[in-house]
Amino acid sequence: MVVHVNAATSVDGKLASRRREQLAISGPDDFARVERVRAANDAVMVGVGTVLADDPSLTVDDADLVAEREERGAPPQPTRVVADSNARTPPDARVLDGAAPTIVLVASDAPAERVAAIEAAGATVVSVGDERVALPAAFGELAERGLVDVMVEGGGELIFSLFDAGLVDELSVYIGSTVIGGRDAPTLADGEGFVENYPDLDLTGVERIDDGVLLRYDC
Amino acid sequence: MVVHVNAATSVDGKLASRRREQLAISGPDDFARVERVRAANDAVMVGVGTVLADDPSLTVDDADLVAEREERGAPPQPTRVVADSNARTPPDARVLDGAAPTIVLVASDAPAERVAAIEAAGATVVSVGDERVALPAAFGELAERGLVDVMVEGGGELIFSLFDAGLVDELSVYIGSTVIGGRDAPTLADGEGFVENYPDLDLTGVERIDDGVLLRYDC
Ligand SMILES: NC(=O)c1ccc[n+]([C@@H]2O[C@H](COP(=O)([O-])OP(=O)(O)OC[C@H]3O[C@@H](n4cnc5c(N)ncnc54)[C@H](OP(=O)(O)O)[C@@H]3O)[C@@H](O)[C@H]2O)c1
Ligand SMILES: NC(=O)c1ccc[n+]([C@@H]2O[C@H](COP(=O)([O-])OP(=O)(O)OC[C@H]3O[C@@H](n4cnc5c(N)ncnc54)[C@H](OP(=O)(O)O)[C@@H]3O)[C@@H](O)[C@H]2O)c1
């Protein structure tokens, strides 16, 4: 099982503005790199905050990358995974459009009618945890379904929880050459935050891409 | 007039933990670099939030760097400058210890007795702005005193205001290989945050230092 977190931030660590509006932080070369990382993984995961804010499709759009997946016996698209304790994913969200398999991770407290609506839209709902998605159990469920290489694309709440649970193996962060600012803007790692035992990462790569820089870490 | 902002952040853009406790983000080589930047400038500026949180001395401690300053006809220490609208700098703060000249920038609404206490501790109080320190006027006052090369060492509230006012010429950020996390932890640029017209920086340098990386930008 390898969990690879990938995100793009401003120089000040923000994922988006305080309005949580998506912003083109990186450029075409980094977009292409993100597609390649997606294509190399069994699953692509986000938190429901990202679904609600950005409505991403999380699919591999490049036909060559899809063909490469099929050549190595993989399904054409990685499975999309949403961490969504209360089943808040809207039934008309792009991740439920059927363009790729989708698993919505919920907690056992999730309202049954919303779970049913998500299932009716064609996704598989997996219940792990009581009030909130229990991430170690969630990755166990993914592994049982053969999803062992998982890319996480955000947002900051999910990424913090993953670091807090010691579940991140690799981190890549594209730092775009802009400042977003804002006490309330989402950052790469939000949540409660650490006050001790800060994760000690190992910087393994520094690469200029577009007009920013990609930093890679082993975690 | 050149305004150079320098700070150290975690990979997720945080200056400190949510407890606002200082944290060794960088290592000895970056500390030495920061001292050299300090020594190269006429003034070293912070916001009062940093004074209250960290009680920094902001002096050049390396005797060789002090000697170099004197050789080129500069005073032994750069002038310390605190942006402190309400004169909240404690009279026993290190920046008021007399080890270097200090200017405290206040607004005209600052309580007279606190202004008097700061002056009694030996600092020069300069009033610029009504409710909050007006930064363009503040830099004008500094320039009139011959302080034209100014290093800003944080924190995130002051840095955001400087970007917002278009006053930053150069930015250097040391990104340490750790994650701090926390929705409420201070970041490199806090304040209200931009929602449009994001500053467009020019990445001029990428250098590995200690176990992190230093990014330099023209602004
Ligand atoms: N620049 C980039 O690369 C990038 C990438 C992604 C997102 N973004 C931006 O990030 C923002 C969204 O980030 P976000 O932090 O608000 O949302 P997020 O991390 O995508 O989702 C957070 C939500 O996930 C759910 N969740 C379920 N289990 C969780 C667990 N164990 N730990 C943490 N969360 C869990 C929680 O809601 P429940 O409690 O209801 O389950 C939580 O509120 C948007 O502004 C988006 O534009 C940017
Ligand atoms: N890692 C690093 O490199 C580094 C460097 C510095 C600080 N830090 C950390 O950063 C934190 C402090 O940062 P901070 O953002 O809270 O404080 P800050 O930026 O140092 O100071 C903010 C305060 O400055 C005053 N100020 C005066 N004029 C201003 C203006 N025009 N715009 C903005 N502020 C103005 C405001 O108080 P008034 O309204 O009362 O004037 C404001 O609350 C601490 O946790 C510290 O450890 C880290």
Side-chain angles (χ1 to χ4, degrees), chain B residues 64-146:
Chain B
D64 292 340
L65 290 172
V66 172
E68 275 175 34
R69 286 182 59 90
E70 290 179 310
E71 270 160 40
R72 61 176 162 84
Q77 293 286 337
T79 296
R80 304 178 287 194
V81 179
V82 183
D84 180 15
S85 318
N86 304 301
R88 292 188 287 147
T89 299
D92 63 350
R94 286 211 184 99
V95 289
L96 299 180
D97 64 5
T102 300
I103 293 174
V104 178
L105 303 165
V106 301
S108 54
D109 287 356
E113 71 280 12
R114 288 215 293 264
V115 167
I118 291 171
E119 283 175 332
T124 302
V125 174
V126 176
S127 179
V128 274
D130 300 331
E131 290 173 14
R132 202 170 210 197
V133 171
L135 295 169
F139 284 108
E141 290 283 343
L142 297 181
E144 278 190 17
R145 287 164 172 80

Side-chain angles (χ1 to χ4, degrees), chain A residues 6-10 14-17 19-23 25 46-51 53-54 82-88 105 131-135 153-162 186-188 190-191:
Chain A
N6 181 83
T9 72
S10 55
K14 306 300 188 313
L15 295 175
S17 79
R19 291 188 185 154
R20 301 198 166 238
E21 284 161 352
Q22 213 176 0
L23 195 93
I25 291 174
V46 294
V48 67
T50 297
V51 169
D54 299 349
V82 183
D84 180 15
S85 317
N86 303 302
R88 292 189 288 148
L105 302 165
E131 291 174 12
R132 203 170 209 197
V133 171
L135 295 170
E153 297 208 29
E157 292 292 331
L158 179 61
I159 293 173
F160 175 76
S161 289
L162 290 170
T187 76
L188 179 66
D190 285 331

Side-chain angles (χ1 to χ4, degrees), chain A residues 43-53 56 58 79-90 95-96 102-107 110 118 123-129 131-139 142 150-162 167:
Chain A
V44 177
M45 183 175 183
V46 294
V48 67
T50 297
V51 169
L52 295 171
L58 303 179
T79 296
R80 304 177 287 195
V81 179
V82 183
D84 180 15
S85 317
N86 303 302
R88 292 189 288 148
T89 299
V95 289
L96 300 180
T102 300
I103 293 174
V104 178
L105 302 165
V106 301
I118 290 170
T124 303
V125 173
V126 176
S127 180
V128 274
E131 291 174 12
R132 203 170 209 197
V133 171
L135 295 170
F139 284 107
L142 297 181
V150 180
M151 175 191 194
V152 178
E153 297 208 29
E157 292 292 331
L158 179 61
I159 293 173
F160 175 76
S161 289
L162 290 170
L167 289 168

Side-chain angles (χ1 to χ4, degrees), chain A residues 61-73:
Chain A
D61 297 329
D62 181 309
D64 292 341
L65 290 173
V66 173
E68 275 175 35
R69 286 181 60 90
E70 291 180 307
E71 271 160 40
R72 61 176 162 85

Side-chain angles (χ1 to χ4, degrees), chain B residues 107-175:
Chain B
S108 54
D109 287 356
E113 71 280 12
R114 288 215 293 264
V115 167
I118 291 171
E119 283 175 332
T124 302
V125 174
V126 176
S127 179
V128 274
D130 300 331
E131 290 173 14
R132 202 170 210 197
V133 171
L135 295 169
F139 284 108
E141 290 283 343
L142 297 181
E144 278 190 17
R145 287 164 172 80
L147 307 175
V148 292
D149 291 329
V150 180
M151 176 191 194
V152 177
E153 296 209 29
E157 292 292 331
L158 178 61
I159 293 173
F160 176 75
S161 289
L162 291 169
F163 274 107
D164 198 25
L167 288 168
V168 182
D169 297 297
E170 296 167 14
L171 170 67
S172 45
V173 189
Y174 178 83
I175 302 188

